[in-house]
Coordinates of all heavy atoms in Angstrom, one line a residue:
L13 N -34.7 -23.8 0.8 CA -34.1 -22.8 1.8 C -35.1 -21.6 2.0 O -35.3 -21.2 3.2 CB -32.7 -22.3 1.3 CG -32.0 -21.5 2.3 CD1 -31.7 -22.2 3.6 CD2 -30.7 -21.0 1.6
I14 N -35.6 -21.1 1.0 CA -36.6 -20.0 1.1 C -37.8 -20.4 1.8 O -38.3 -19.7 2.7 CB -36.9 -19.4 -0.3 CG1 -35.7 -18.7 -0.9 CG2 -38.1 -18.5 -0.3 CD1 -35.9 -18.4 -2.4
V15 N -38.4 -21.6 1.6 CA -39.5 -22.1 2.3 C -39.2 -22.3 3.7 O -40.0 -21.9 4.6 CB -40.1 -23.4 1.6 CG1 -41.1 -24.1 2.5 CG2 -40.6 -23.1 0.2
V16 N -38.1 -22.8 4.1 CA -37.7 -23.1 5.5 C -37.6 -21.7 6.2 O -38.0 -21.5 7.3 CB -36.4 -23.9 5.6 CG1 -35.9 -23.9 7.0 CG2 -36.7 -25.3 5.1
M17 N -37.0 -20.7 5.5 CA -36.8 -19.4 6.1 C -38.2 -18.7 6.4 O -38.4 -18.2 7.4 CB -35.9 -18.5 5.3 CG -34.4 -19.0 5.3 SD -33.4 -18.1 4.1 CE -33.7 -16.4 4.5
L18 N -39.0 -18.8 5.4 CA -40.4 -18.2 5.5 C -41.1 -18.9 6.6 O -41.8 -18.2 7.4 CB -41.1 -18.3 4.2 CG -40.6 -17.3 3.1 CD1 -41.4 -17.6 1.8 CD2 -40.8 -15.9 3.5
A19 N -41.0 -20.2 6.7 CA -41.7 -20.9 7.8 C -41.2 -20.5 9.2 O -41.9 -20.3 10.1 CB -41.6 -22.4 7.6
G20 N -39.9 -20.4 9.3 CA -39.2 -19.9 10.5 C -39.7 -18.5 10.9 O -40.0 -18.3 12.1
M21 N -39.8 -17.6 9.9 CA -40.3 -16.3 10.3 C -41.7 -16.3 10.7 O -42.1 -15.6 11.6 CB -40.1 -15.4 9.0 CG -38.6 -15.0 8.8 SD -38.4 -13.7 7.5 CE -39.1 -14.4 6.1
A22 N -42.5 -17.1 10.0 CA -43.9 -17.2 10.4 C -44.1 -17.8 11.8 O -44.9 -17.2 12.6 CB -44.7 -18.1 9.4
M23 N -43.3 -18.8 12.2 CA -43.4 -19.3 13.5 C -42.9 -18.3 14.6 O -43.5 -18.2 15.6 CB -42.6 -20.6 13.6 CG -43.3 -21.8 12.9 SD -42.5 -23.4 13.2 CE -41.0 -23.2 12.3
G24 N -41.8 -17.6 14.2 CA -41.3 -16.6 15.2 C -42.4 -15.5 15.4 O -42.6 -15.0 16.5
G25 N -43.0 -15.0 14.3 CA -44.1 -14.0 14.4 C -45.2 -14.5 15.3 O -45.8 -13.8 16.1
Y26 N -45.6 -15.8 15.0 CA -46.7 -16.3 15.8 C -46.3 -16.4 17.3 O -47.1 -16.0 18.2 CB -47.1 -17.7 15.3 CG -48.1 -18.4 16.2 CD1 -49.4 -18.0 16.1 CD2 -47.8 -19.4 17.1 CE1 -50.4 -18.6 16.9 CE2 -48.7 -20.0 17.9 CZ -50.0 -19.6 17.7 OH -51.0 -20.2 18.5
A27 N -45.1 -16.8 17.6 CA -44.7 -16.9 19.0 C -44.7 -15.5 19.7 O -45.1 -15.4 20.8 CB -43.3 -17.5 19.1
Q28 N -44.2 -14.5 18.9 CA -44.2 -13.2 19.5 C -45.6 -12.7 19.7 O -45.9 -12.0 20.8 CB -43.5 -12.2 18.6 CG -42.0 -12.4 18.6 CD -41.2 -11.5 17.7 OE1 -41.8 -10.7 16.9 NE2 -39.9 -11.5 17.8
S29 N -46.5 -12.9 18.8 CA -47.9 -12.4 19.0 C -48.6 -13.2 20.1 O -49.4 -12.6 20.9 CB -48.7 -12.6 17.7 OG -48.9 -14.0 17.4
R30 N -48.3 -14.5 20.3 CA -48.8 -15.2 21.5 C -48.3 -14.6 22.8 O -49.1 -14.4 23.7 CB -48.4 -16.7 21.4 CG -49.2 -17.5 20.4 CD -50.7 -17.6 20.6 NE -51.1 -18.0 22.0 CZ -52.2 -17.7 22.5 NH1 -53.2 -17.1 21.8 NH2 -52.5 -18.1 23.7
L31 N -47.0 -14.3 22.8 CA -46.5 -13.7 24.0 C -47.1 -12.4 24.3 O -47.5 -12.1 25.5 CB -44.9 -13.5 23.9 CG -44.2 -12.9 25.1 CD1 -44.4 -13.7 26.3 CD2 -42.8 -12.6 24.7
A32 N -47.3 -11.5 23.3 CA -48.0 -10.2 23.5 C -49.4 -10.4 24.0 O -49.9 -9.8 24.9 CB -47.9 -9.4 22.2
F33 N -50.1 -11.4 23.4 CA -51.5 -11.7 23.8 C -51.6 -12.1 25.2 O -52.4 -11.7 26.0 CB -52.1 -12.7 22.8 CG -53.5 -13.1 23.2 CD1 -54.6 -12.2 22.8 CD2 -53.8 -14.2 23.9 CE1 -55.9 -12.5 23.2 CE2 -55.1 -14.5 24.2 CZ -56.2 -13.7 23.9
E34 N -50.6 -13.0 25.6 CA -50.6 -13.5 27.0 C -50.4 -12.3 28.0 O -51.0 -12.2 29.0 CB -49.6 -14.6 27.2 CG -50.0 -15.9 26.5 CD -48.9 -16.9 26.4 OE1 -47.8 -16.7 27.0 OE2 -49.1 -17.9 25.7
R35 N -49.4 -11.5 27.7 CA -49.1 -10.4 28.6 C -50.3 -9.4 28.7 O -50.6 -9.0 29.8 CB -47.9 -9.6 28.0 CG -46.6 -10.2 28.3 CD -45.4 -9.3 28.0 NE -44.2 -10.0 28.4 CZ -43.0 -9.5 28.2 NH1 -42.9 -8.3 27.5 NH2 -41.9 -10.1 28.6
I36 N -50.9 -9.1 27.6 CA -52.1 -8.2 27.6 C -53.2 -8.8 28.3 O -54.0 -8.2 29.0 CB -52.4 -7.8 26.2 CG1 -51.3 -6.9 25.6 CG2 -53.8 -7.1 26.1 CD1 -51.5 -6.6 24.1
S37 N -53.4 -10.1 28.2 CA -54.5 -10.8 28.9 C -54.3 -10.8 30.4 O -55.2 -10.7 31.1 CB -54.5 -12.3 28.4 OG -54.9 -12.4 27.1
K38 N -53.0 -10.9 30.8 CA -52.7 -10.8 32.3 C -52.9 -9.4 32.8 O -53.3 -9.2 34.0 CB -51.3 -11.4 32.5 CG -51.2 -12.9 32.4 CD -49.8 -13.3 32.7 CE -49.6 -14.8 32.4 NZ -48.3 -15.2 32.5
D39 N -52.4 -8.4 32.0 CA -52.5 -7.0 32.5 C -52.8 -6.1 31.3 O -51.9 -5.9 30.5 CB -51.1 -6.7 33.1 CG -51.1 -5.3 33.8 OD1 -52.1 -4.5 33.6 OD2 -50.2 -5.0 34.5
R40 N -54.0 -5.6 31.3 CA -54.4 -4.8 30.1 C -53.6 -3.5 29.9 O -53.6 -3.0 28.8 CB -55.9 -4.5 30.1 CG -56.3 -3.7 31.3 CD -57.8 -3.5 31.3 NE -58.3 -2.9 32.5 CZ -58.5 -1.6 32.7 NH1 -58.3 -0.8 31.6 NH2 -58.8 -1.1 33.8
R41 N -52.9 -3.1 30.9 CA -52.1 -1.9 30.7 C -51.0 -2.1 29.7 O -50.5 -1.1 29.1 CB -51.5 -1.5 32.1 CG -52.5 -0.9 33.0 CD -51.9 -0.6 34.3 NE -51.4 -1.8 35.0 CZ -51.0 -1.9 36.2 NH1 -50.8 -0.8 36.9 NH2 -50.6 -3.0 36.7
F42 N -50.6 -3.3 29.4 CA -49.6 -3.6 28.4 C -50.1 -3.2 27.0 O -49.3 -3.0 26.1 CB -49.1 -5.0 28.4 CG -48.1 -5.3 29.5 CD1 -48.5 -6.2 30.5 CD2 -46.8 -4.8 29.4 CE1 -47.6 -6.5 31.5 CE2 -45.9 -5.1 30.4 CZ -46.3 -5.9 31.5
S43 N -51.4 -3.1 26.8 CA -51.9 -2.7 25.5 C -51.9 -1.2 25.2 O -52.1 -0.8 24.1 CB -53.4 -3.2 25.4 OG -54.2 -2.5 26.3
A44 N -51.5 -0.4 26.2 CA -51.6 1.0 26.1 C -50.3 1.6 25.4 O -50.3 2.8 25.1 CB -51.8 1.6 27.4
S45 N -49.3 0.9 25.2 CA -48.1 1.4 24.6 C -47.6 2.6 25.3 O -47.4 2.6 26.5 CB -48.3 1.6 23.1 OG -47.1 2.0 22.5
N46 N -47.3 3.7 24.5 CA -46.8 4.9 25.1 C -47.9 5.7 25.9 O -47.5 6.7 26.6 CB -46.3 5.9 24.0 CG -45.1 5.3 23.4 OD1 -44.4 4.4 23.9 ND2 -44.8 5.8 22.2
Y47 N -49.1 5.3 25.8 CA -50.2 6.0 26.5 C -50.5 5.4 27.9 O -51.4 5.8 28.6 CB -51.4 6.0 25.7 CG -51.2 6.6 24.3 CD1 -51.1 5.8 23.2 CD2 -51.0 8.0 24.2 CE1 -50.8 6.4 22.0 CE2 -50.7 8.6 23.0 CZ -50.6 7.8 21.9 OH -50.4 8.3 20.7
C48 N -49.7 4.5 28.4 CA -49.9 3.9 29.7 C -49.3 4.8 30.8 O -48.2 5.3 30.7 CB -49.2 2.5 29.7 SG -49.5 1.6 31.2
I49 N -50.2 5.0 31.8 CA -49.7 5.8 32.9 C -48.8 5.0 33.8 O -48.9 3.7 33.7 CB -50.8 6.4 33.7 CG1 -51.7 5.3 34.3 CG2 -51.7 7.4 32.9 CD1 -52.7 5.7 35.3
Y50 N -47.9 5.6 34.5 CA -47.0 4.8 35.4 C -47.9 4.2 36.5 O -48.8 4.8 37.0 CB -46.0 5.7 36.0 CG -45.0 6.2 35.0 CD1 -45.0 7.5 34.5 CD2 -44.0 5.3 34.5 CE1 -44.0 7.9 33.5 CE2 -43.1 5.7 33.5 CZ -43.1 7.0 33.1 OH -42.2 7.4 32.1
P51 N -47.6 3.0 36.9 CA -48.4 2.4 38.0 C -48.2 3.1 39.3 O -47.2 3.7 39.6 CB -47.8 1.0 38.1 CG -46.4 1.1 37.5 CD -46.5 2.2 36.5
D52 N -49.3 3.2 40.0 CA -49.3 3.8 41.3 C -48.9 2.9 42.5 O -48.8 3.3 43.6 CB -50.6 4.5 41.6 CG -51.8 3.6 41.6 OD1 -51.6 2.4 41.3 OD2 -52.9 4.0 42.0
T53 N -48.7 1.6 42.1 CA -48.3 0.7 43.1 C -47.1 -0.1 42.5 O -46.9 -0.1 41.3 CB -49.4 -0.3 43.5 OG1 -49.8 -1.0 42.3 CG2 -50.6 0.3 44.1
L54 N -46.3 -0.7 43.4 CA -45.1 -1.4 42.9 C -45.6 -2.7 42.3 O -46.3 -3.5 42.9 CB -44.2 -1.6 44.0 CG -43.6 -0.4 44.6 CD1 -42.7 -0.7 45.8 CD2 -42.8 0.4 43.6
L55 N -45.1 -3.0 41.1 CA -45.5 -4.3 40.5 C -44.6 -5.4 40.9 O -45.0 -6.6 40.8 CB -45.5 -4.1 38.9 CG -46.4 -3.0 38.4 CD1 -46.3 -2.9 36.9 CD2 -47.9 -3.4 38.7
I56 N -43.4 -5.1 41.3 CA -42.4 -6.1 41.7 C -41.9 -5.7 43.1 O -41.9 -4.6 43.5 CB -41.3 -6.3 40.7 CG1 -40.5 -4.9 40.5 CG2 -41.8 -6.8 39.4 CD1 -39.3 -5.0 39.7
K57 N -41.4 -6.7 43.8 CA -40.8 -6.5 45.1 C -39.4 -5.7 44.8 O -38.6 -6.1 44.0 CB -40.5 -7.8 45.8 CG -40.0 -7.6 47.2 CD -39.9 -8.9 48.0 CE -39.6 -8.5 49.4 NZ -38.7 -9.3 50.0
Q58 N -39.3 -4.6 45.5 CA -38.1 -3.8 45.4 C -36.9 -4.4 46.2 O -37.1 -5.0 47.3 CB -38.3 -2.4 45.8 CG -39.4 -1.7 45.1 CD -39.0 -1.4 43.6 OE1 -38.1 -0.8 43.4 NE2 -39.8 -2.0 42.7
T59 N -35.7 -4.2 45.7 CA -34.5 -4.6 46.4 C -34.3 -3.7 47.7 O -34.4 -2.5 47.5 CB -33.3 -4.5 45.5 OG1 -33.5 -5.2 44.4 CG2 -32.0 -4.9 46.2
P60 N -34.1 -4.3 48.8 CA -33.9 -3.4 50.0 C -32.7 -2.6 49.9 O -31.7 -3.0 49.3 CB -33.9 -4.4 51.2 CG -33.5 -5.7 50.6 CD -34.0 -5.7 49.2
P61 N -32.7 -1.4 50.5 CA -31.4 -0.5 50.4 C -30.3 -1.2 51.3 O -30.6 -2.0 52.2 CB -31.9 0.8 51.0 CG -33.1 0.5 51.8 CD -33.7 -0.7 51.2
P62 N -29.1 -0.8 51.0 CA -28.0 -1.3 51.9 C -28.2 -0.9 53.3 O -28.9 0.2 53.6 CB -26.8 -0.6 51.3 CG -27.1 -0.2 49.9 CD -28.6 0.0 49.9
I63 N -27.7 -1.6 54.2 CA -27.8 -1.3 55.7 C -27.3 0.1 55.9 O -26.2 0.5 55.5 CB -27.1 -2.4 56.5 CG1 -27.8 -3.7 56.3 CG2 -27.1 -2.0 58.0 CD1 -27.1 -4.9 57.0
G64 N -28.1 0.9 56.6 CA -27.7 2.2 57.0 C -28.1 3.3 55.9 O -27.8 4.5 56.1
K65 N -28.6 2.9 54.8 CA -29.0 3.8 53.8 C -30.5 3.9 53.6 O -31.2 2.9 54.0 CB -28.4 3.4 52.4 CG -26.9 3.2 52.4 CD -26.2 4.5 52.6 CE -24.7 4.3 52.6 NZ -24.0 5.5 52.7
R66 N -31.0 5.0 53.1 CA -32.5 5.2 52.9 C -32.7 5.3 51.4 O -32.0 6.1 50.7 CB -33.0 6.4 53.6 CG -33.1 6.3 55.1 CD -33.6 7.5 55.8 NE -34.7 8.2 55.1 CZ -34.9 9.5 55.1 NH1 -34.1 10.3 55.8 NH2 -35.9 10.0 54.4
P67 N -33.7 4.7 50.9 CA -34.0 4.9 49.5 C -34.5 6.3 49.2 O -35.1 7.0 50.1 CB -35.1 3.9 49.2 CG -35.7 3.6 50.5 CD -34.7 3.8 51.5
F68 N -34.3 6.8 48.0 CA -34.8 8.1 47.6 C -35.2 8.1 46.1 O -34.8 7.2 45.4 CB -33.8 9.2 47.9 CG -32.5 9.1 47.2 CD1 -32.3 9.7 46.0 CD2 -31.5 8.3 47.7 CE1 -31.1 9.5 45.3 CE2 -30.3 8.1 47.0 CZ -30.1 8.7 45.8
Y69 N -36.0 9.1 45.7 CA -36.4 9.2 44.4 C -35.8 10.4 43.7 O -35.8 11.4 44.2 CB -38.0 9.3 44.4 CG -38.6 9.6 43.0 CD1 -38.7 8.6 42.1 CD2 -39.0 10.8 42.7 CE1 -39.2 8.8 40.8 CE2 -39.6 11.1 41.4 CZ -39.7 10.1 40.5 OH -40.2 10.3 39.3
I70 N -35.3 10.1 42.5 CA -34.8 11.2 41.7 C -35.7 11.4 40.5 O -35.9 10.5 39.7 CB -33.3 10.9 41.1 CG1 -32.4 10.7 42.3 CG2 -32.9 12.0 40.2 CD1 -31.0 10.3 41.9
S71 N -36.2 12.6 40.3 CA -37.1 12.9 39.2 C -36.2 13.6 38.1 O -35.2 14.3 38.4 CB -38.2 13.9 39.6 OG -39.0 14.1 38.5
H72 N -36.6 13.3 36.9 CA -35.8 13.9 35.7 C -36.6 15.1 35.2 O -37.7 15.0 34.9 CB -35.6 12.8 34.7 CG -35.1 13.4 33.4 ND1 -33.7 13.8 33.3 CD2 -35.7 13.7 32.2 CE1 -33.5 14.2 32.0 NE2 -34.7 14.2 31.4
Y73 N -35.8 16.2 35.0 CA -36.4 17.4 34.4 C -35.7 17.5 33.0 O -34.5 17.7 33.0 CB -36.3 18.6 35.2 CG -36.6 19.9 34.5 CD1 -37.9 20.2 34.3 CD2 -35.6 20.7 33.9 CE1 -38.3 21.3 33.6 CE2 -36.0 21.8 33.2 CZ -37.3 22.1 33.0 OH -37.6 23.3 32.4
G74 N -36.5 17.5 32.0 CA -35.9 17.7 30.7 C -37.0 17.7 29.6 O -38.1 17.3 29.8
R75 N -36.6 18.2 28.4 CA -37.6 18.2 27.3 C -36.8 18.3 26.0 O -35.7 18.8 26.0 CB -38.6 19.3 27.4 CG -38.1 20.7 27.2 CD -39.2 21.6 27.2 NE -38.7 23.0 27.2 CZ -39.5 24.0 27.6 NH1 -40.8 23.8 27.8 NH2 -39.0 25.2 27.6
H76 N -37.4 17.8 25.0 CA -36.8 17.9 23.6 C -37.2 19.3 23.1 O -38.0 20.0 23.6 CB -37.3 16.8 22.7 CG -38.8 16.8 22.6 ND1 -39.4 17.6 21.7 CD2 -39.7 16.1 23.2 CE1 -40.7 17.4 21.8 NE2 -40.9 16.5 22.7
G77 N -36.6 19.7 22.0 CA -36.9 20.9 21.4 C -38.4 21.0 20.9 O -38.9 20.0 20.4
S78 N -39.0 22.1 21.2 CA -40.4 22.2 20.8 C -40.5 22.4 19.3 O -39.6 23.0 18.7 CB -41.1 23.4 21.5 OG -41.0 23.3 22.9
R79 N -41.5 21.8 18.6 CA -41.6 21.9 17.2 C -43.0 22.4 16.8 O -44.0 22.2 17.6 CB -41.4 20.5 16.6 CG -39.9 20.1 16.7 CD -39.6 18.8 16.1 NE -38.2 18.4 16.0 CZ -37.5 18.1 17.1 NH1 -38.0 18.1 18.3 NH2 -36.2 17.9 16.9
Y80 N -43.1 23.0 15.7 CA -44.4 23.5 15.2 C -45.1 22.3 14.6 O -44.6 21.3 14.1 CB -44.1 24.5 14.1 CG -43.5 25.8 14.6 CD1 -42.1 26.0 14.5 CD2 -44.2 26.7 15.3 CE1 -41.5 27.1 15.0 CE2 -43.6 27.9 15.8 CZ -42.3 28.1 15.7 OH -41.7 29.2 16.2
L81 N -46.5 22.4 14.6 CA -47.3 21.4 14.0 C -47.1 21.4 12.5 O -46.6 22.3 11.9 CB -48.8 21.6 14.3 CG -49.2 21.6 15.7 CD1 -50.7 21.8 15.9 CD2 -48.8 20.2 16.3
S82 N -47.4 20.2 11.8 CA -47.1 20.1 10.4 C -47.9 20.9 9.5 O -47.5 21.2 8.4 CB -47.2 18.6 10.0 OG -48.5 18.1 10.2
N83 N -49.1 21.3 9.9 CA -50.0 22.2 9.1 C -50.9 23.0 10.0 O -51.0 22.8 11.2 CB -50.8 21.4 8.1 CG -51.7 20.4 8.7 OD1 -52.5 20.7 9.6 ND2 -51.7 19.2 8.3
R84 N -51.5 24.0 9.4 CA -52.3 24.9 10.1 C -53.6 24.3 10.7 O -54.1 24.8 11.7 CB -52.7 26.1 9.2 CG -53.4 27.2 9.9 CD -53.8 28.3 9.0 NE -54.5 29.3 9.7 CZ -54.0 30.5 10.1 NH1 -52.8 30.9 9.7 NH2 -54.8 31.3 10.8
K85 N -54.1 23.2 10.2 CA -55.3 22.6 10.6 C -55.3 22.3 12.1 O -56.3 22.4 12.8 CB -55.6 21.4 9.8 CG -57.0 20.8 10.1 CD -57.5 19.7 9.3 CE -56.7 18.9 8.5 NZ -57.4 17.7 7.9
G86 N -54.1 21.9 12.6 CA -54.0 21.5 14.0 C -54.2 22.7 14.9 O -54.6 22.5 16.1
Y87 N -54.0 23.9 14.4 CA -54.3 25.1 15.2 C -55.7 25.6 14.9 O -56.4 26.2 15.8 CB -53.3 26.2 14.9 CG -51.8 25.8 15.2 CD1 -51.0 25.4 14.2 CD2 -51.3 25.9 16.5 CE1 -49.7 25.1 14.5 CE2 -50.0 25.6 16.8 CZ -49.2 25.2 15.7 OH -47.9 24.8 16.0
D88 N -56.1 25.5 13.6 CA -57.4 26.1 13.2 C -58.6 25.4 13.9 O -59.6 26.1 14.2 CB -57.5 26.1 11.7 CG -56.8 27.2 11.0 OD1 -56.4 28.2 11.7 OD2 -56.5 27.1 9.8
I89 N -58.5 24.1 14.0 CA -59.7 23.4 14.5 C -60.1 23.9 15.9 O -61.2 24.3 16.1 CB -59.5 21.9 14.5 CG1 -59.5 21.4 13.0 CG2 -60.5 21.1 15.3 CD1 -59.1 19.9 12.8
P90 N -59.1 23.9 16.9 CA -59.6 24.4 18.2 C -59.9 25.9 18.2 O -60.8 26.3 18.9 CB -58.4 24.1 19.1 CG -57.2 23.9 18.2 CD -57.8 23.4 16.9
Y91 N -59.2 26.7 17.4 CA -59.4 28.1 17.3 C -60.8 28.4 16.8 O -61.6 29.2 17.4 CB -58.4 28.8 16.5 CG -58.6 30.3 16.5 CD1 -58.4 31.1 17.6 CD2 -59.1 30.9 15.3 CE1 -58.7 32.4 17.6 CE2 -59.4 32.3 15.3 CZ -59.1 33.0 16.5 OH -59.4 34.4 16.4
K92 N -61.2 27.7 15.7 CA -62.6 27.9 15.2 C -63.7 27.5 16.2 O -64.7 28.1 16.2 CB -62.7 27.2 13.8 CG -61.9 27.8 12.7 CD -62.0 27.1 11.4 CE -61.2 27.8 10.4 NZ -61.2 27.1 9.1
M93 N -63.4 26.4 16.9 CA -64.4 26.0 17.9 C -64.5 27.1 19.0 O -65.7 27.4 19.4 CB -63.9 24.7 18.6 CG -64.0 23.5 17.7 SD -63.2 22.0 18.4 CE -64.3 21.7 19.7
L94 N -63.4 27.7 19.4 CA -63.5 28.7 20.4 C -64.1 30.0 19.9 O -64.9 30.7 20.5 CB -62.1 29.1 20.9 CG -61.4 28.0 21.8 CD1 -59.9 28.3 22.1 CD2 -62.1 27.9 23.2
Q95 N -63.8 30.3 18.6 CA -64.5 31.4 17.9 C -66.0 31.3 17.9 O -66.7 32.2 18.2 CB -63.9 31.5 16.5 CG -63.2 32.8 16.2 CD -62.7 32.8 14.7 OE1 -62.7 31.8 14.0 NE2 -62.3 34.0 14.3
K96 N -66.4 30.1 17.5 CA -67.9 29.9 17.4 C -68.5 30.0 18.8 O -69.6 30.6 19.0 CB -68.2 28.5 16.8 CG -69.7 28.2 16.7 CD -69.9 26.9 15.9 CE -71.4 26.8 15.8 NZ -71.8 25.6 15.0
A97 N -67.9 29.4 19.8 CA -68.4 29.5 21.2 C -68.5 30.9 21.7 O -69.4 31.3 22.3 CB -67.6 28.6 22.1
D98 N -67.4 31.7 21.3 CA -67.4 33.1 21.7 C -68.5 33.9 21.0 O -69.2 34.7 21.6 CB -66.0 33.7 21.4 CG -65.8 35.0 22.1 OD1 -66.5 35.3 23.1 OD2 -64.9 35.7 21.6
S99 N -68.8 33.6 19.7 CA -69.8 34.3 19.0 C -71.2 34.0 19.5 O -72.1 34.8 19.4 CB -69.7 34.0 17.5 OG -70.2 32.7 17.3
L100 N -71.3 32.8 20.2 CA -72.6 32.4 20.8 C -72.7 32.9 22.2 O -73.7 32.6 22.9 CB -72.8 30.9 20.7 CG -72.9 30.3 19.3 CD1 -72.9 28.8 19.3 CD2 -74.2 30.9 18.6
G101 N -71.6 33.5 22.7 CA -71.6 34.0 24.1 C -71.5 32.9 25.1 O -71.9 33.0 26.3
K102 N -70.8 31.8 24.7 CA -70.7 30.6 25.6 C -69.4 30.5 26.3 O -69.2 29.6 27.1 CB -71.0 29.3 24.8 CG -72.3 29.3 24.1 CD -73.4 29.1 25.2 CE -74.8 28.9 24.5 NZ -75.8 28.7 25.4
L103 N -68.4 31.4 25.9 CA -67.1 31.2 26.5 C -67.0 31.8 27.9 O -67.5 32.9 28.2 CB -66.0 31.9 25.7 CG -65.5 31.1 24.5 CD1 -64.4 31.9 23.8 CD2 -65.1 29.7 24.8

Side-chain angles (χ1 to χ4, degrees):
L13 184 61
I14 290 171
V15 168
V16 168
M17 288 173 53
L18 289 173
M21 289 190 301
M23 287 189 291
Y26 175 75
Q28 287 180 353
S29 67
R30 284 299 308 158
L31 177 62
F33 180 77
E34 289 169 8
R35 281 189 175 174
I36 291 169
S37 295
K38 287 180 185 174
D39 186 347
R40 65 186 169 92
R41 289 178 293 187
F42 281 112
S43 68
S45 184
N46 293 343
Y47 302 106
C48 185
I49 59 171
Y50 290 105
D52 59 351
T53 58
L54 297 176
L55 300 177
I56 59 172
K57 185 175 187 217
Q58 300 292 300
T59 304
I63 295 173
K65 304 291 181 181
R66 287 180 39 212
F68 61 94
Y69 173 75
I70 298 176
S71 182
H72 169 76
Y73 169 76
R75 69 174 168 196
H76 58 82
S78 303
R79 289 176 172 76
Y80 295 97
L81 297 181
S82 60
N83 61 48
R84 188 181 176 108
K85 188 174 14 174
Y87 300 99
D88 280 343
I89 291 172
Y91 181 70
K92 286 178 181 177
M93 291 171 66
L94 289 169
Q95 244 182 343
K96 183 173 183 180
D98 195 19
S99 71
L100 297 172
K102 301 289 185 182
L103 280 186

